Amino acid sequence: MQVEETPLKDCFLVKPNIFKDHRGIFLETYHRKRFAELTGIDTEFVQDNQSVSSYGVLRGMHYQKGEFAQTKIVRVIYGKVLDVVVDLRPDSPTFKQTYSAILDDQNLHQLYVPKGFGHGFLTLSAKSVFGYKCDNYYTPGSEGGIIFNDPDLNIDWDFPFKEMVLSDKDRDLPTFKEVFG
Ligand SMILES: Cc1cn([C@H]2C[C@H](O)[C@@H](COP(=O)(O)OP(=O)(O)O[C@H]3O[C@H](C)C(=O)[C@H](O)[C@H]3O)O2)c(=O)[nH]c1=O
């Protein structure tokens, strides 16, 4: 496993070792001890999630608030996505900054997304299977979000908005200014 710092504080790009042979591939998708050795961060994940999306589906930007905030490590099991994170920690030197990465079933890269970040992804393949670990449980009512096309965050989705498929909830998310003033 290699772990690279991203431009956002405490957010890492994780590149698992991929073992290839005539049958296919093998990789350890998570190794707590090795991740802690490489980053100095020991995270105890308690919930695994999986979502399946079709082409053009955008899920995000989401976070859980306060004590329910979740650190996540996210990956693509099948297909290809543009994964986007935003630092929503007012005290962070990278507050309000975004970072995006292509995660797919070829590079098998992962993103470690710390508590206090907003997270979302756009499916770029016909179908994506997206898996992630969370270090805090899902808590309905604690969820927050920022609209995907927020003018202040100005995320470059590199995709025609009219072709995007979102939940009604995501279409109605507030702007950054409405949340942070
Ligand atoms: C997140 C979650 C949802 N649910 C239920 C609630 C709804 O009935 C249904 C779909 O939930 P939602 O529309 O919030 O799912 P996504 O839009 O994929 O939300 C996720 O999308 C972005 C990318 C994230 O990073 C978050 O993990 C999460 O917010 O699953 C649960 O039962 N447990 C859960 O942990």
Side-chain angles (χ1 to χ4, degrees):
M1 171 199 303
Q2 292 174 285
V3 177
E4 294 176 9
E5 291 185 356
T6 69
L8 306 188
K9 187 175 182 300
D10 308 324
C11 178
F12 299 95
L13 184 67
V14 182
K15 298 181 176 180
N17 295 334
I18 303 171
F19 300 94
K20 297 180 182 177
D21 66 23
H22 63 285
R23 299 165 300 171
I25 66 169
F26 175 90
L27 66 149
E28 293 180 355
T29 52
Y30 180 64
H31 193 295
R32 177 175 177 178
K33 183 169 178 285
R34 200 157 301 142
F35 185 85
E37 287 167 353
L38 290 170
T39 62
I41 302 171
D42 183 25
T43 308
E44 183 174 359
F45 292 106
V46 296
Q47 179 178 320
D48 278 13
N49 292 340
Q50 179 168 309
S51 62
V52 179
S53 305
S54 48
Y55 179 74
V57 167
L58 190 155
R59 297 173 184 258
M61 306 296 287
H62 302 159
Y63 58 90
Q64 289 198 163
K65 299 172 187 173
E67 65 180 289
F68 306 108
Q70 296 169 312
T71 294
K72 300 166 190 165
I73 188 162
V74 306
R75 68 189 183 101
V76 166
I77 298 163
Y78 177 89
K80 179 177 180 179
V81 310
L82 177 69
D83 200 84
V84 179
V85 294
V86 53
D87 189 345
L88 298 174
R89 304 169 300 180
D91 299 336
S92 167
T94 54
F95 176 54
K96 202 173 171 183
Q97 293 182 30
T98 65
Y99 171 77
S100 58
I102 292 286
L103 308 180
D104 65 25
D105 57 24
Q106 299 303 304
N107 65 30
L108 294 165
H109 291 172
Q110 305 176 9
L111 263 184
Y112 178 89
V113 186
K115 292 179 193 298
F117 274 55
H119 174 247
F121 68 92
L122 170 68
T123 291
L124 297 173
S125 46
K127 171 182 169 184
S128 71
V129 179
F130 192 84
Y132 51 109
K133 306 174 100 52
C134 307
D135 76 339
N136 213 344
Y137 294 107
Y138 172 62
T139 308
S142 77
E143 296 171 287
I146 306 277
I147 188 78
F148 74 100
N149 59 352
D150 182 83
D152 287 303
L153 300 184
N154 194 29
I155 296 168
D156 180 7
W157 293 99
D158 192 20
F159 195 92
F161 287 172
K162 63 181 186 311
E163 291 184 32
M164 288 179 175
V165 179
L166 288 87
S167 64
D168 292 341
K169 177 186 78 169
D170 285 357
R171 285 202 180 280
D172 294 336
L173 287 172
T175 64
F176 179 88
K177 273 196 174 66
E178 287 169 332
V179 178
F180 289 93

